[in-house]
Amino acid sequence: ASFLAAAQVLVCLLPLTHETRGLLDRTAFAALPRGAHLVNVARGDIVVDEDLIVALDCGQLSSATLDVFRAAPLPAGHPFWHHPRITLTPHASAVTLVEDAVRQVAGKIGRLERGEPVTGAVDRARGGRRYLRSASRISRSRTTSSGAAAGGGGVSRLSRLICLTMMKMMKA
């Protein structure tokens, strides 16, 4: 609570977990200084929409900038669209660079085919990006000792198809 009491601007970058779902509610908003500003670029389910509207309407919060929502896309009739103290931003952080993406996907597929751990695995239980010890066990369980995919090399054929498709997209 002391952290919130000192925050004129609260920027939420938290992952969505069991502990963070609904974390920004009337209790959290009441702990902020009157007139504070909320920025949520994390996950929509962290904010309780109805409590945010009340906090804005009574002046506890002066404004909110929202990049994410409980329902995506935000329904046409949602009160966020027309609230005078809410600014909505498009949830687009960057343009994907196709050549970089192709290299990254091809590298990950190659690691899977060789039975190596895949980097950047997401631990959904923890709500964020975590490098999993189990990733190497998962990839090994999907391949035989020779490195060919179990079930007749399906990963290998799929990886080639994905890479070829992405290469064609790059040239187009």
Side-chain angles (χ1 to χ4, degrees):
S2 63
F3 170 78
L4 293 177
Q8 289 294 322
V9 177
L10 179 61
V11 179
C12 180
L13 301 169
L14 296 170
L16 182 62
T17 66
H18 177 70
E19 292 82 18
T20 63
R21 185 178 306 275
L23 181 68
L24 297 179
D25 62 2
R26 70 180 61 138
T27 303
F29 299 142
L32 290 164
R34 188 162 182 80
H37 179 80
L38 171 67
V39 177
N40 185 17
V41 293
R43 296 290 180 251
D45 284 340
I46 295 172
V47 174
V48 177
D49 294 358
E50 299 78 16
D51 293 355
L52 175 59
I53 296 288
V54 170
L56 289 164
D57 288 346
C58 76
Q60 178 58 33
L61 294 179
S62 64
S63 58
T65 301
L66 306 173
D67 188 59
V68 292
F69 318 99
R70 285 181 178 259
L74 191 62
H78 197 285
F80 286 175
W81 283 114
H82 305 289
H83 199 286
R85 293 184 175 179
I86 293 178
T87 300
L88 305 177
T89 59
H91 189 63
S93 61
V95 174
T96 299
L97 302 173
V98 176
E99 290 180 20
D100 292 343
V102 168
R103 277 191 292 276
Q104 200 173 54
V105 169
K108 288 179 188 299
I109 291 171
R111 292 180 72 86
L112 262 177
E113 288 179 333
R114 293 187 300 275
E116 298 172 2
V118 178
T119 59
V122 174
D123 181 351
R124 294 193 186 277
R126 294 191 67 194
R129 188 167 225 173
R130 302 283 184 253
Y131 296 97
L132 302 176
R133 291 186 188 110
S134 62
S136 62
R137 287 192 300 269
I138 292 168
S139 64
R140 279 196 294 272
S141 71
R142 292 183 180 171
T143 59
T144 65
S145 59
S146 68
V155 172
S156 192
R157 282 195 298 273
L158 178 60
S159 65
R160 287 188 192 101
L161 178 61
I162 291 169
C163 289
L164 287 172
T165 302
M166 292 177 81
M167 297 291 264
K168 287 179 183 177
M169 289 171 49
M170 283 181 9
K171 292 177 182 176

